[in-house]
Amino acid sequence: MIQFARATTIVWVALRYGLDELVLTSFQRPTLRLLARMVRMGRDLSAPRGQRLREALQRLGPIFVKFGQVLSTRRDILPRDIADELALLQDRVAPFPGAQAVAIIEKAFRKPIAELFSSFEHEPVASASIAQVHFATLTDAAGHEREVAVKVLRPGMLKVIEQDLSLIRMMAGWIERLSADGKRLKPREVAAEFDKYLHDELDLVREAANAAQLRRNMAGLNLVLIPEMLWDLCRSDVIVMERMHGIPIGQVDKLHEAGVDFKRLARDGVTIFFTQVFRDGFFHADMHPGNIMVSVEPATFGRYISLDFGIIGTLTEYDKEYLAQNFTAFFRRDYRRVAELHIESGWVPADTRVDELESAIRSVCEPYFDRPLKEISLGLVLMRLFQTSRRFNVQIQPQLVLLQKTLLNIEGLGRELDPDLDLWSTAKPFLERWMLDQVGPKRFWRELKRQAPYYARTLPDLPRLLHGYLQGGEKGDTQRDLMRLLVEQRRTTRLLQAVVYMGVGFVLGVVALLLIYRLAWLF
């Protein structure tokens, strides 16, 4: 019943703001254009189409606002007037009253606002779909004043999001049952991922923890600034952080006036993204322009400033290695290796012909190499890859949905900063260095030191296991124990390293066993 009511509301809002007319006018057929003129009858649709779309998305709530935020970065596929209006969703969603924000803050800390801050601006500086931000100053224990930003969660968010997620889950179930591609697309798993990230975003303490982790990860890179969290003033619905000074990345004219190097900024953005994804497996997954500024302070001039850490993507070691190998093979135009990786990972059926998959991938990717970013639409590439994936029954990986979304955001930003950016040549050296570090001697010794406590626990068992195996008794138990050790090891390192490490452990175990026998013989 709740889903039906929400669906009815969505249809009503779409009609109220003339979204049906907006869709119909996008077609070239005269009959559909005539229908578009007919549906205008009796409604006031005098406002520009972009404004009506933005207001409709705001009226429908946070999930639809986020959809508009993603669309706003794709100026290559949207008319300019619509893209400009949707850009207002990034940090200028209609705010809730400042007095209401003060009430939420005072309830969270059980103190009057005057005791918490020496000054507090009731007018928010930014207002987004989930929360809004106010500037304030506070006095520390030493009597020094410090500028801070106070982020306050919108009231009543959980109820609205639960309604939309309930509708999305219902629709995902329909797609899985009714669509031929339903099971392959895993819509219910994708919906579950979306559910998880939206609920995480409603907990501002989790966002503060995400920011702290990113700040540590990026500390040595000197390319991006991340605000420090004031943990004594962090609650689930209010967090206080260091105030950052910079120019929003969407204000291109101001950045030009300040003398910012846009080509370097675009390259640095690619480096930051690939570092977070492949080195750390922990990346900012909401990279629309409303969450990014550029520092113009002399000490940090030209560095990125990241904001809003409610949505963070994570990747396992297996995901990182699989993706890095895919990217590296793409950059080398080794399409056969890409096809083999898809089969090895189980993303396509094991009986898939490598040569056919290789040919299909080549036909999608080859036309786009050696082109500047302004001539490439990643959205078009992904669409063609999706069509190819249908043919070969590729299994969609829900854990990579956020990464795909972030890639689209990065492409949109890169297109704005430097249309001539060669994404491939910029990323290729980074990935090759990363791969060398992962499979080279440094990784071997690093993993060996990390695994030392594990081997210290398992090494004493090796003589017993070896003795049982040689004696022929307890053979089944011995093999099961050995299999258990191998499975545990496979979870933490690649198969090749597991073999090497187990070989080292086996040799050490034999040596230890011989020493024990030798000592027993001597005494």
Side-chain angles (χ1 to χ4, degrees), residues 350-426:
D351 59 354
T352 302
R353 287 186 55 177
V354 176
D355 57 332
E356 290 184 357
L357 183 56
E358 174 192 1
S359 177
I361 295 172
R362 180 185 295 108
S363 67
V364 172
C365 299
E366 191 64 27
Y368 297 98
F369 275 99
D370 301 325
R371 289 189 184 186
L373 191 57
K374 65 182 178 183
E375 298 178 16
I376 301 174
S377 170
L378 185 57
L380 180 59
V381 175
L382 289 176
M383 186 181 300
R384 293 196 61 192
L385 282 173
F386 177 73
Q387 292 171 346
T388 301
S389 71
R390 292 183 61 186
R391 175 184 166 194
F392 290 94
N393 295 317
V394 175
Q395 295 292 315
I396 302 300
Q397 304 301 306
Q399 76 275 18
L400 302 183
V401 169
L402 274 182
L403 181 63
Q404 295 165 0
K405 168 184 173 292
T406 307
L407 271 172
L408 291 175
N409 287 148
I410 292 295
E411 186 202 19
L413 286 173
R415 195 181 298 278
E416 288 291 308
L417 296 174
D418 180 16
D420 295 317
L421 173 69
D422 187 341
L423 186 65
W424 316 118
S425 62
T426 304

XYZ file of all heavy atoms in Angstrom, residues 350-426:
626
model
N 31.885 -20.081 -18.108
C 33.198 -20.687 -18.343
C 33.347 -21.208 -19.765
O 34.473 -21.332 -20.262
C 33.417 -21.823 -17.342
N 32.241 -21.516 -20.445
C 32.334 -22.062 -21.799
C 32.360 -20.965 -22.879
O 32.281 -21.258 -24.071
C 31.180 -23.023 -22.067
C 29.810 -22.350 -21.910
O 29.766 -21.175 -21.486
O 28.793 -23.011 -22.199
N 32.478 -19.691 -22.454
C 32.539 -18.590 -23.417
C 33.809 -18.685 -24.252
O 34.891 -18.936 -23.715
C 32.516 -17.230 -22.696
O 31.320 -17.141 -21.908
C 32.559 -16.075 -23.689
N 33.705 -18.484 -25.549
C 34.881 -18.508 -26.424
C 35.674 -17.219 -26.255
O 35.143 -16.116 -26.430
C 34.458 -18.685 -27.875
C 33.963 -20.079 -28.207
C 33.700 -20.227 -29.694
N 34.869 -19.878 -30.498
C 34.914 -19.988 -31.833
N 33.847 -20.432 -32.477
N 36.004 -19.661 -32.493
N 36.950 -17.367 -25.904
C 37.804 -16.207 -25.630
C 37.919 -15.323 -26.863
O 37.860 -14.088 -26.765
C 39.197 -16.669 -25.158
C 40.123 -15.459 -24.975
C 39.093 -17.448 -23.866
N 38.073 -15.933 -28.038
C 38.283 -15.131 -29.243
C 37.056 -14.294 -29.589
O 37.171 -13.151 -30.045
C 38.669 -16.029 -30.420
C 37.632 -17.110 -30.707
O 36.930 -17.518 -29.757
O 37.530 -17.550 -31.866
N 35.861 -14.824 -29.345
C 34.646 -14.065 -29.638
C 34.492 -12.884 -28.678
O 34.143 -11.768 -29.093
C 33.420 -14.974 -29.551
C 33.327 -15.994 -30.684
C 32.045 -16.800 -30.610
O 31.272 -16.593 -29.637
O 31.805 -17.635 -31.503
N 34.738 -13.130 -27.383
C 34.644 -12.053 -26.404
C 35.721 -11.005 -26.667
O 35.464 -9.796 -26.572
C 34.780 -12.618 -24.988
C 34.633 -11.624 -23.834
C 33.309 -10.887 -23.910
C 34.773 -12.339 -22.492
N 36.920 -11.450 -27.017
C 38.010 -10.522 -27.349
C 37.615 -9.620 -28.512
O 37.814 -8.389 -28.473
C 39.264 -11.308 -27.711
C 40.420 -10.454 -28.201
C 41.532 -11.288 -28.808
O 41.405 -12.525 -28.860
O 42.542 -10.685 -29.230
N 37.045 -10.189 -29.551
C 36.650 -9.415 -30.723
C 35.572 -8.394 -30.369
O 35.607 -7.248 -30.837
C 36.142 -10.357 -31.819
O 35.696 -9.638 -32.938
N 34.619 -8.791 -29.530
C 33.539 -7.879 -29.151
C 34.066 -6.697 -28.341
O 33.671 -5.546 -28.562
C 32.484 -8.642 -28.349
N 34.974 -6.963 -27.401
C 35.544 -5.893 -26.579
C 36.385 -4.953 -27.432
O 36.339 -3.727 -27.266
C 36.384 -6.490 -25.431
C 35.480 -7.272 -24.466
C 37.130 -5.399 -24.671
C 36.231 -8.061 -23.423
N 37.125 -5.506 -28.377
C 37.947 -4.675 -29.266
C 37.073 -3.720 -30.071
O 37.405 -2.543 -30.243
C 38.762 -5.549 -30.211
C 39.653 -4.728 -31.162
C 40.372 -5.576 -32.186
N 41.328 -6.481 -31.549
C 41.171 -7.787 -31.449
N 40.080 -8.371 -31.960
N 42.084 -8.534 -30.867
N 35.956 -4.210 -30.564
C 35.086 -3.368 -31.392
C 34.493 -2.213 -30.586
O 34.187 -1.155 -31.137
C 33.960 -4.209 -31.993
O 33.076 -4.678 -30.984
N 34.342 -2.382 -29.264
C 33.813 -1.317 -28.418
C 34.882 -0.288 -28.082
O 34.657 0.925 -28.171
C 33.218 -1.904 -27.120
C 32.849 -0.780 -26.153
C 31.997 -2.751 -27.432
N 36.080 -0.747 -27.706
C 37.090 0.136 -27.117
C 38.059 0.750 -28.119
O 38.509 1.892 -27.917
C 37.882 -0.630 -26.062
S 36.864 -1.245 -24.702
N 38.400 0.041 -29.170
C 39.456 0.505 -30.070
C 39.166 1.876 -30.690
O 40.088 2.694 -30.818
C 39.685 -0.534 -31.173
C 40.925 -0.277 -32.007
C 42.213 -0.381 -31.205
O 42.231 -1.118 -30.189
O 43.202 0.276 -31.575
N 37.914 2.182 -31.058
C 37.675 3.498 -31.685
C 37.963 4.692 -30.786
O 38.044 5.816 -31.279
C 36.178 3.443 -32.034
C 35.850 1.992 -32.111
C 36.707 1.342 -31.081
N 38.127 4.466 -29.461
C 38.240 5.601 -28.549
C 39.671 5.888 -28.099
O 39.907 6.880 -27.402
C 37.355 5.364 -27.322
C 35.896 5.280 -27.687
C 35.270 4.044 -27.841
C 35.158 6.426 -27.934
C 33.930 3.968 -28.205
C 33.821 6.361 -28.296
C 33.216 5.127 -28.426
O 31.898 5.052 -28.796
N 40.621 5.048 -28.438
C 41.994 5.296 -28.033
C 42.586 6.450 -28.834
O 42.195 6.728 -29.972
C 42.847 4.040 -28.220
C 42.772 3.107 -27.046
C 41.933 2.010 -27.070
C 43.523 3.342 -25.902
C 41.852 1.152 -25.990
C 43.449 2.486 -24.812
C 42.614 1.396 -24.854
N 43.556 7.129 -28.206
C 44.282 8.246 -28.823
C 43.385 9.437 -29.118
O 43.738 10.304 -29.912
C 44.980 7.803 -30.121
C 45.969 6.676 -29.875
O 46.597 6.678 -28.801
O 46.097 5.806 -30.743
N 42.224 9.502 -28.468
C 41.350 10.657 -28.628
C 41.376 11.475 -27.341
O 41.470 10.920 -26.249
C 39.905 10.221 -28.886
C 39.650 9.606 -30.245
C 38.158 9.433 -30.435
N 37.831 8.755 -31.674
C 36.587 8.586 -32.111
N 35.576 9.046 -31.400
N 36.355 7.952 -33.241
N 41.269 12.797 -27.446
C 41.115 13.597 -26.227
C 39.760 13.337 -25.606
O 38.829 12.854 -26.265
C 41.232 15.043 -26.722
C 40.863 14.970 -28.159
C 41.324 13.630 -28.649
N 39.635 13.700 -24.315
C 38.414 13.407 -23.589
C 37.198 14.072 -24.212
O 36.081 13.568 -24.133
C 38.569 13.866 -22.130
C 37.505 13.422 -21.131
C 37.384 11.913 -21.100
C 37.808 13.970 -19.757
N 37.395 15.226 -24.875
C 36.263 15.933 -25.459
C 35.608 15.141 -26.588
O 34.464 15.400 -26.948
C 36.708 17.300 -25.981
C 37.705 17.245 -27.130
C 38.127 18.639 -27.548
C 39.167 18.604 -28.673
N 39.626 19.952 -29.036
N 36.333 14.165 -27.146
C 35.779 13.358 -28.226
C 35.301 11.988 -27.747
O 34.906 11.163 -28.552
C 36.824 13.180 -29.333
C 37.257 14.484 -29.988
C 38.323 14.268 -31.041
O 38.502 13.109 -31.461
O 38.974 15.241 -31.435
N 35.364 11.771 -26.440
C 34.976 10.476 -25.891
C 33.818 10.671 -24.920
O 33.851 11.555 -24.071
C 36.150 9.812 -25.127
C 37.355 9.614 -26.048
C 35.728 8.479 -24.535
C 38.580 9.109 -25.320
N 32.810 9.869 -25.047
C 31.732 9.840 -24.068
C 31.807 8.503 -23.337
O 31.522 7.448 -23.919
C 30.370 9.992 -24.743
O 29.343 9.741 -23.808
N 32.227 8.564 -22.065
C 32.305 7.332 -21.296
C 30.921 6.701 -21.167
O 30.784 5.480 -21.143
C 32.882 7.619 -19.904
C 33.131 6.411 -19.002
C 34.063 5.415 -19.668
C 33.686 6.855 -17.659
N 29.890 7.552 -21.127
C 28.534 7.017 -21.087
C 28.228 6.169 -22.307
O 27.620 5.106 -22.210
N 28.687 6.636 -23.491
C 28.459 5.868 -24.711
C 29.266 4.568 -24.687
O 28.766 3.509 -25.101
C 28.855 6.703 -25.933
C 28.666 6.040 -27.304
C 27.210 5.660 -27.520
C 29.154 6.962 -28.419
N 30.507 4.633 -24.200
C 31.332 3.423 -24.104
C 30.669 2.412 -23.181
O 30.575 1.215 -23.493
C 32.750 3.760 -23.606
C 33.562 2.485 -23.390
C 33.469 4.665 -24.607
N 30.190 2.883 -22.011
C 29.542 1.979 -21.069
C 28.267 1.376 -21.664
O 27.951 0.218 -21.429
C 29.211 2.724 -19.770
C 30.407 3.098 -18.891
C 29.950 3.919 -17.690
C 31.155 1.859 -18.429
N 27.545 2.187 -22.454
C 26.326 1.669 -23.084
C 26.663 0.540 -24.060
O 26.000 -0.502 -24.087
C 25.598 2.805 -23.802
C 24.242 2.403 -24.379
S 23.424 3.762 -25.250
C 23.301 4.947 -23.911
N 27.714 0.741 -24.852
C 28.093 -0.293 -25.814
C 28.632 -1.536 -25.092
O 28.388 -2.665 -25.520
C 29.136 0.249 -26.781
C 28.599 1.330 -27.706
C 29.518 1.550 -28.884
N 29.649 0.347 -29.695
C 30.562 0.198 -30.654
N 31.415 1.178 -30.914
N 30.631 -0.924 -31.346
N 29.375 -1.308 -24.003
C 29.852 -2.454 -23.223
C 28.672 -3.206 -22.612
O 28.695 -4.439 -22.506
C 30.806 -1.978 -22.121
C 32.229 -1.630 -22.570
C 33.009 -1.015 -21.425
C 32.955 -2.865 -23.098
N 27.635 -2.454 -22.203
C 26.452 -3.100 -21.650
C 25.772 -3.968 -22.704
O 25.339 -5.093 -22.427
C 25.483 -2.037 -21.137
C 24.189 -2.603 -20.617
C 24.146 -3.270 -19.416
C 23.011 -2.463 -21.340
C 22.961 -3.798 -18.933
C 21.819 -2.990 -20.878
C 21.792 -3.655 -19.665
N 25.684 -3.464 -23.927
C 25.094 -4.246 -25.002
C 25.914 -5.520 -25.249
O 25.359 -6.599 -25.478
C 25.019 -3.407 -26.268
C 24.020 -2.259 -26.184
C 24.120 -1.311 -27.358
O 25.077 -1.339 -28.124
N 23.129 -0.441 -27.505
N 27.239 -5.375 -25.190
C 28.106 -6.548 -25.348
C 27.907 -7.523 -24.203
O 27.879 -8.743 -24.400
C 29.581 -6.106 -25.417
O 29.749 -5.207 -26.513
C 30.506 -7.300 -25.586
N 27.759 -6.984 -22.989
C 27.608 -7.852 -21.820
C 26.329 -8.686 -21.915
O 26.289 -9.828 -21.459
C 27.596 -7.014 -20.535
O 26.396 -6.270 -20.427
N 25.275 -8.114 -22.509
C 24.039 -8.879 -22.679
C 24.277 -10.093 -23.573
O 23.798 -11.190 -23.294
C 22.962 -7.997 -23.290
C 22.460 -6.883 -22.406
C 21.347 -6.109 -23.067
N 20.200 -6.966 -23.345
C 19.136 -6.555 -24.022
N 19.082 -5.311 -24.478
N 18.133 -7.368 -24.247
N 25.036 -9.885 -24.625
C 25.290 -10.974 -25.573
C 26.050 -12.119 -24.917
O 25.798 -13.297 -25.211
C 26.066 -10.422 -26.760
C 26.495 -11.471 -27.772
C 27.354 -10.859 -28.863
N 28.025 -11.870 -29.647
C 29.029 -11.623 -30.472
N 29.457 -10.376 -30.628
N 29.607 -12.593 -31.148
N 26.976 -11.783 -24.012
C 27.821 -12.818 -23.405
C 27.397 -13.156 -21.976
O 28.134 -13.826 -21.257
C 29.279 -12.350 -23.410
C 29.892 -12.317 -24.785
C 29.891 -11.148 -25.535
C 30.450 -13.452 -25.333
C 30.446 -11.117 -26.800
C 31.007 -13.432 -26.600
C 31.005 -12.257 -27.341
N 26.212 -12.690 -21.567
C 25.674 -13.023 -20.238
C 26.622 -12.630 -19.108
O 26.831 -13.384 -18.161
C 25.351 -14.520 -20.141
C 24.245 -14.929 -21.083
O 23.240 -14.238 -21.214
N 24.436 -16.044 -21.771
N 27.200 -11.423 -19.206
C 28.087 -10.940 -18.153
C 27.274 -10.689 -16.883
O 26.205 -10.085 -16.928
C 28.792 -9.633 -18.580
C 29.621 -9.064 -17.434
C 29.682 -9.902 -19.786
N 27.788 -11.163 -15.750
C 27.118 -10.973 -14.472
C 27.488 -9.604 -13.902
O 28.662 -9.299 -13.701
C 27.524 -12.069 -13.475
C 27.084 -13.460 -13.871
C 25.581 -13.611 -13.814
O 24.939 -13.180 -12.862
N 25.002 -14.226 -14.837
N 26.492 -8.756 -13.638
C 26.728 -7.437 -13.065
C 27.216 -7.597 -11.623
O 26.672 -8.394 -10.857
C 25.450 -6.580 -13.105
C 24.958 -6.454 -14.547
C 25.676 -5.214 -12.480
C 25.955 -5.804 -15.487
N 28.216 -6.798 -11.228
C 28.781 -6.857 -9.887
C 28.269 -5.669 -9.060
O 28.712 -4.538 -9.252
C 30.311 -6.829 -9.963
C 30.908 -7.939 -10.821
C 30.540 -9.316 -10.330
O 30.746 -9.648 -9.165
N 29.973 -10.125 -11.202
N 27.339 -5.906 -8.131
C 26.742 -4.784 -7.387
C 27.767 -3.955 -6.622
O 27.594 -2.754 -6.457
C 25.774 -5.489 -6.424
C 25.447 -6.776 -7.098
C 26.711 -7.193 -7.795
N 28.846 -4.578 -6.116
C 29.826 -3.830 -5.332
C 30.580 -2.800 -6.168
O 31.267 -1.936 -5.624
C 30.820 -4.791 -4.658
C 31.893 -5.380 -5.570
C 31.441 -6.620 -6.317
O 30.255 -6.875 -6.422
N 32.387 -7.400 -6.805
N 30.442 -2.869 -7.503
C 31.147 -1.928 -8.364
C 30.235 -0.825 -8.895
O 30.672 0.011 -9.680
C 31.793 -2.675 -9.542
C 32.786 -3.782 -9.173
C 33.387 -4.380 -10.439
C 33.885 -3.261 -8.269
N 28.978 -0.821 -8.452
C 28.040 0.199 -8.941
C 28.521 1.593 -8.560
O 28.485 2.530 -9.371
C 26.624 -0.067 -8.383
C 25.702 1.120 -8.661
C 26.040 -1.331 -9.004
N 28.981 1.776 -7.305
C 29.466 3.084 -6.869
C 30.687 3.516 -7.664
O 30.851 4.703 -7.969
C 29.818 3.059 -5.383
C 28.682 3.333 -4.398
C 29.215 3.319 -2.976
C 28.014 4.664 -4.677
N 31.550 2.562 -7.995
C 32.734 2.901 -8.782
C 32.327 3.388 -10.168
O 32.899 4.363 -10.686
C 33.650 1.680 -8.891
C 34.948 1.887 -9.673
C 35.823 2.927 -8.998
C 35.706 0.581 -9.822
N 31.349 2.746 -10.789
C 30.872 3.175 -12.100
C 30.282 4.584 -12.024
O 30.535 5.428 -12.888
C 29.833 2.178 -12.621
C 30.407 0.799 -12.896
C 29.330 -0.264 -13.057
O 28.149 0.028 -12.969
N 29.740 -1.499 -13.285
N 29.492 4.848 -10.964
C 28.918 6.179 -10.772
C 30.023 7.217 -10.619
O 29.964 8.309 -11.206
C 28.021 6.163 -9.540
C 27.587 7.536 -9.041
C 26.799 7.396 -7.761
C 26.479 8.752 -7.133
N 27.648 9.455 -6.624
N 31.054 6.899 -9.834
C 32.138 7.849 -9.597
C 32.940 8.091 -10.871
O 33.396 9.217 -11.122
C 33.061 7.323 -8.477
O 32.269 7.005 -7.330
C 34.094 8.370 -8.088
N 33.119 7.058 -11.688
C 33.811 7.239 -12.964
C 33.077 8.248 -13.847
O 33.708 9.081 -14.503
C 33.924 5.892 -13.688
C 35.152 5.042 -13.372
C 35.017 3.665 -14.012
C 36.422 5.717 -13.850
N 31.752 8.176 -13.849
C 30.974 9.136 -14.630
C 31.150 10.547 -14.075
O 31.263 11.522 -14.826
C 29.505 8.742 -14.636
C 29.151 7.476 -15.416
C 27.678 7.129 -15.224
C 29.458 7.635 -16.895
N 31.174 10.678 -12.733
C 31.409 11.988 -12.122
C 32.780 12.533 -12.506
O 32.925 13.720 -12.857
C 31.319 11.893 -10.601
C 29.894 11.712 -10.101
O 29.666 11.074 -9.092
N 28.932 12.290 -10.793
N 33.804 11.663 -12.456
C 35.171 12.086 -12.763
C 35.269 12.529 -14.214
O 35.915 13.527 -14.545
C 36.162 10.933 -12.486
C 36.235 10.648 -10.978
C 37.540 11.246 -13.039
C 36.808 11.787 -10.170
N 34.610 11.781 -15.106
C 34.652 12.172 -16.518
C 33.994 13.528 -16.722
O 34.500 14.378 -17.469
C 33.949 11.136 -17.382
C 34.103 11.437 -18.864
C 33.026 10.792 -19.718
O 31.985 10.414 -19.182
O 33.239 10.681 -20.933
N 32.850 13.750 -16.040
C 32.175 15.033 -16.175
C 33.042 16.184 -15.691
O 33.137 17.230 -16.339
N 33.731 15.998 -14.552
C 34.625 17.033 -14.031
C 35.808 17.250 -14.961
O 36.200 18.392 -15.241
C 35.123 16.631 -12.635
C 34.119 16.746 -11.498
C 34.695 16.148 -10.219
C 33.726 18.190 -11.268
N 36.406 16.164 -15.427
C 37.556 16.277 -16.325
C 37.207 17.004 -17.605
O 37.999 17.791 -18.128
N 35.993 16.766 -18.099
C 35.558 17.416 -19.332
C 35.433 18.927 -19.134
O 35.705 19.719 -20.035
C 34.223 16.818 -19.777
C 33.833 17.140 -21.201
C 32.485 16.499 -21.508
N 32.536 15.053 -21.411
C 32.973 14.249 -22.376
N 33.410 14.750 -23.495
N 32.970 12.941 -22.211
N 35.010 19.339 -17.929
C 34.885 20.761 -17.634
C 36.253 21.420 -17.463
O 36.471 22.552 -17.892
C 34.061 20.956 -16.358
C 32.579 20.659 -16.519
C 31.880 21.676 -17.400
O 32.019 22.883 -17.145
O 31.228 21.248 -18.369
N 37.196 20.721 -16.819
C 38.499 21.313 -16.504
C 39.433 21.337 -17.705
O 40.087 22.345 -17.981
C 39.158 20.532 -15.354
C 38.438 20.582 -14.011
C 39.110 19.646 -13.021
C 38.420 22.002 -13.458
N 39.526 20.219 -18.408
C 40.461 20.128 -19.529
C 39.903 19.164 -20.568
O 40.132 17.955 -20.497
C 41.836 19.646 -19.039
C 42.845 19.532 -20.172
O 42.587 20.105 -21.250
O 43.889 18.880 -19.981
N 39.182 19.693 -21.557
C 38.587 18.820 -22.579
C 39.626 18.027 -23.356
O 39.281 16.992 -23.946
C 37.849 19.803 -23.496
C 37.618 21.014 -22.661
C 38.797 21.096 -21.750
N 40.895 18.482 -23.373
C 41.937 17.778 -24.111
C 42.663 16.732 -23.268
O 43.636 16.137 -23.721
C 42.966 18.786 -24.659
C 42.346 19.706 -25.699
O 41.583 19.204 -26.548
O 42.620 20.912 -25.655
N 42.205 16.526 -22.042
C 42.856 15.544 -21.175
C 42.805 14.158 -21.800
O 41.745 13.685 -22.205
C 42.149 15.508 -19.814
C 42.613 14.405 -18.844
C 44.017 14.680 -18.353
C 41.646 14.287 -17.673
N 43.976 13.505 -21.883
C 44.046 12.123 -22.354
C 43.980 11.218 -21.124
O 44.978 11.003 -20.447
C 45.348 11.892 -23.134
C 45.391 10.511 -23.783
O 44.623 9.629 -23.348
O 46.193 10.311 -24.699
N 42.768 10.754 -20.846
C 42.545 9.962 -19.636
C 43.397 8.705 -19.619
O 43.932 8.297 -18.593
C 41.062 9.598 -19.541
C 40.592 8.884 -18.281
C 40.751 9.780 -17.074
C 39.136 8.450 -18.420
N 43.557 8.088 -20.797
C 44.284 6.816 -20.863
C 45.765 7.002 -20.521
O 46.307 6.295 -19.670
C 44.149 6.219 -22.262
C 42.766 6.269 -22.832
C 42.374 6.932 -23.956
C 41.578 5.656 -22.301
N 41.023 6.766 -24.165
C 40.514 5.991 -23.174
C 41.312 4.869 -21.190
C 39.215 5.556 -22.959
C 40.015 4.443 -20.982
C 38.997 4.781 -21.851
N 46.438 7.958 -21.184
C 47.879 8.114 -20.958
C 48.174 8.664 -19.572
O 49.236 8.422 -19.020
C 48.478 9.048 -22.024
O 47.900 10.334 -21.947
N 47.213 9.410 -18.985
C 47.398 9.929 -17.636
C 47.331 8.806 -16.611
O 48.101 8.785 -15.641
C 46.332 10.987 -17.316
O 46.379 12.021 -18.295
C 46.563 11.603 -15.948
